[in-house]
Amino acid sequence: MPLSGSAGSQGIQGSLIVLSGPSGAGKGSILKGAMERLPNLCCSVSVTTRPPRPDERDGEDYFFRSPAQFEQMKENGEFLECARYLDYWYGTLTSWVLERLQQGKDVALEIDVQGGRQVRARFPRAVLIFVMPPSEQALRDRLMGRNTETEESLDRRLNAYREERKYLSEYDHTIVNDRLEEAVEEFCRIVREEKTKAARGAAHG
Ligand code: 5GP
């Protein structure tokens, strides 16, 4: 299905919200908290070639697929955006997202900055939010606390963060996640504000 680019077209009612930032910044926790407060919000389930972590479930956290399966989906044009992040591929399913937007749902994509840029190009009215840790040390501590990273992968993730920060100016909003409750509040405030703006824009044609 083609995406001509903006909410309001093709019967699309909901808002598309991109949440980027390093893993460990708390994007997932912010979205979880926000979904409890904003009943219309849902979070896209991406496809990845990364193996599942012990607590992750196929179809809930990600659709876990082999590199060959991912490649085939890419060739079939199934992705709204996709990117390689460190050693693995990640992609957002166009069908998953469009279906929900057309039902009037607001859809959040938890994706990296390469993906954020692709979404903006295809969907100019998407709202782009970048989540930052309060400091690099705080990020390191959170990643270590997860016990899923080796020293090497931790360094690579911190380096990836330094790279991702360079895209910050392309984002509409920044949230510094120091206290989770406040970060969730801030996220909800931004979504409500953007929806009011979009509704005003639509009313004025
Ligand atoms: P993790 O392996 O920690 O789950 O995710 C690594 C990075 O990939 C995170 O920055 C996450 O936001 C990003 N990511 C997850 N799903 C997607 C996706 O569908 N597309 C893109 N571009 N990035 C994704």
Side-chain angles (χ1 to χ4, degrees):
M1 200 182 308
L3 260 185
S4 74
S6 59
S9 63
Q10 299 174 0
I12 291 174
Q13 306 292 331
S15 300
L16 188 57
I17 300 139
V18 169
L19 200 60
S20 298
S23 77
K27 292 171 299 200
S29 309
I30 292 175
L31 285 177
K32 199 162 164 252
M35 281 192 290
E36 284 165 16
R37 288 174 173 72
L38 304 172
N40 203 41
L41 181 70
C42 65
C43 185
S44 167
V45 180
S46 293
V47 181
T48 184
T49 60
R50 171 170 75 62
R53 296 184 183 127
D55 58 337
E56 289 180 328
R57 299 277 163 272
D58 186 49
E60 283 178 30
D61 302 283
Y62 282 105
F63 296 107
F64 296 99
R65 297 292 180 264
S66 69
Q69 286 171 321
F70 193 97
E71 190 52 42
Q72 188 59 57
M73 294 171 89
K74 205 169 153 206
E75 261 176 42
N76 296 345
E78 292 181 45
F79 293 123
L80 192 153
E81 62 74 36
C82 70
R84 197 174 165 83
Y85 185 90
L86 301 180
D87 296 326
Y88 303 108
W89 280 97
Y90 297 83
T92 303
L93 290 167
T94 306
S95 55
W96 199 104
V97 171
L98 275 191
E99 217 172 87
R100 279 148 187 95
L101 287 176
Q102 282 162 351
Q103 288 165 2
K105 287 268 183 200
D106 299 320
V107 180
L109 310 180
E110 190 187 326
I111 62 177
D112 84 323
V113 290
Q114 307 169 75
R117 190 176 261 183
Q118 292 171 47
V119 171
R120 161 102 334 140
R122 290 184 78 178
F123 229 89
R125 286 196 219 170
V127 181
L128 269 60
I129 305 174
F130 195 94
V131 181
M132 308 259 288
S135 67
E136 210 172 285
Q137 186 58 45
L139 182 63
R140 177 176 275 276
D141 293 345
R142 280 184 202 166
L143 285 170
M144 273 169 62
R146 257 186 356 193
N147 279 331
T148 54
E149 311 299 324
T150 60
E151 193 62 36
E152 191 208 339
S153 80
L154 203 126
D155 282 342
R156 292 180 71 202
R157 281 183 184 267
L158 287 174
N159 279 332
Y161 169 50
R162 289 180 200 122
E163 282 304 308
E164 292 204 64
R165 264 194 321 218
K166 295 180 186 161
Y167 290 68
L168 203 64
S169 61
E170 296 180 22
Y171 278 68
D172 303 307
H173 304 272
T174 308
I175 297 176
V176 177
N177 183 14
D178 192 1
R179 289 166 193 266
L180 180 62
E181 273 301 298
E182 286 172 21
V184 171
E185 256 325 302
E186 178 69 359
F187 178 87
C188 294
R189 191 191 60 71
I190 292 169
V191 172
R192 288 192 193 106
E193 194 182 282
E194 290 286 350
K195 288 195 72 69
T196 308
K197 254 198 259 172
R200 241 186 253 138
H204 293 107

